Amino acid sequence: MHQENSEVAQAQSPEKIRIASCSLAGCFGCHMSMLDIDEMVVEVLEHVEYCRGPLNDVRDLHNVDVGIVEGALCNEDNVKVLRQFRENCRVLVAVGACAITGGLPAMRNHYGLTACLKEAYLDADGVVNPAIPCDPELPRLLNRVRPIQEVVRVDYFLPGCPPPAAAFAELFSALMEGREPVLDREMARFD
Ligand code: SF4
């Protein structure tokens, strides 16, 4: 886990630690791995208030201790949500390859946005009524998928696809104990 400051240690307070999470261009696999901490969930819930996440879909965000971000930046809505997290979370944690490097969604960068849209909506086998979606309600796609640290400052990185549950357990333990998280080699592997 790369760390640039001691913000996690400072996030501890006598109150419950307020955590928010989001999935930008991600598959929710990192969130599933976060839930794999098994019985530790009980201890975490005693110390943590989970104020926003993909399950409760709360839009407001304020006074958050730790923001956990899964997924890359594919569209303008992703960027807006990410900036909201950075502005309102004292500590920001990038989890998973997509958030850290662009990961799987960034594969489209090799071909270009126009070519990908053309292939998906016009030229692919089995396409019926070929048309590239252009509803104004849809968020505008970015020309290039970007990792989140290209747009905002990130305090901690949990690598992996997804990061192992042990890495999340270490992050939560550090939060509850008011210390810096430490990932050993096994937790930081990429296979
Ligand atoms: Fe899914 Fe892997 Fe990306 Fe996490 S890093 S959102 S598990 S593809």
Side-chain angles (χ1 to χ4, degrees):
M1 182 183 306
H2 178 70
Q3 54 195 46
E4 294 177 351
N5 57 34
S6 58
E7 292 283 341
V8 163
Q10 292 167 16
Q12 194 193 36
S13 78
E15 308 288 326
K16 281 193 170 186
I17 302 160
R18 285 171 57 79
I19 288 184
S21 72
C22 63
S23 180
L24 304 175
C27 74
F28 294 94
C30 292
H31 273 79
M32 296 307 292
S33 185
M34 184 162 66
L35 294 175
D36 271 351
I37 56 176
D38 297 331
E39 66 273 9
M40 190 183 181
V41 164
V42 177
E43 188 188 355
V44 167
L45 288 178
E46 280 175 18
H47 295 87
V48 163
E49 180 188 348
Y50 191 49
C51 52
R52 173 190 160 150
L55 287 181
N56 61 18
D57 200 30
V58 170
R59 297 288 165 183
D60 278 348
L61 199 64
H62 60 275
N63 230 4
V64 175
D65 293 307
V66 181
I68 295 173
V69 180
E70 167 195 296
L73 299 166
C74 277
N75 61 44
E76 290 179 349
D77 188 59
N78 296 152
V79 175
K80 189 173 152 197
V81 171
L82 177 64
R83 289 195 194 282
Q84 186 196 27
F85 265 66
R86 180 65 279 180
E87 283 166 18
N88 293 283
C89 302
R90 212 133 41 90
V91 174
L92 202 66
V93 185
V95 298
C98 297
I100 297 171
T101 67
L104 207 57
M107 288 181 72
R108 81 157 152 90
N109 294 349
H110 296 291
Y111 303 96
L113 177 58
T114 304
C116 289
L117 288 171
K118 200 164 165 293
E119 175 63 25
Y121 292 105
L122 304 180
D123 299 341
D125 287 344
V127 168
V128 178
N129 299 328
I132 295 176
C134 58
D135 190 306
E137 291 284 315
L138 292 173
R140 279 177 40 140
L141 293 171
L142 304 181
N143 281 332
R144 189 174 67 83
V145 175
R146 306 176 72 184
I148 69 169
Q149 74 271 16
E150 280 191 11
V151 174
V152 299
R153 177 174 59 83
V154 173
D155 300 301
Y156 294 92
F157 299 86
L158 257 58
C161 180
F168 286 103
E170 167 57 16
L171 175 69
F172 290 132
S173 294
L175 282 171
M176 292 186 292
E177 294 163 15
R179 62 172 173 79
E180 289 296 324
V182 179
L183 288 190
D184 62 25
R185 281 172 61 90
E186 189 61 21
M187 286 186 219
R189 66 188 163 79
F190 290 89
D191 57 342

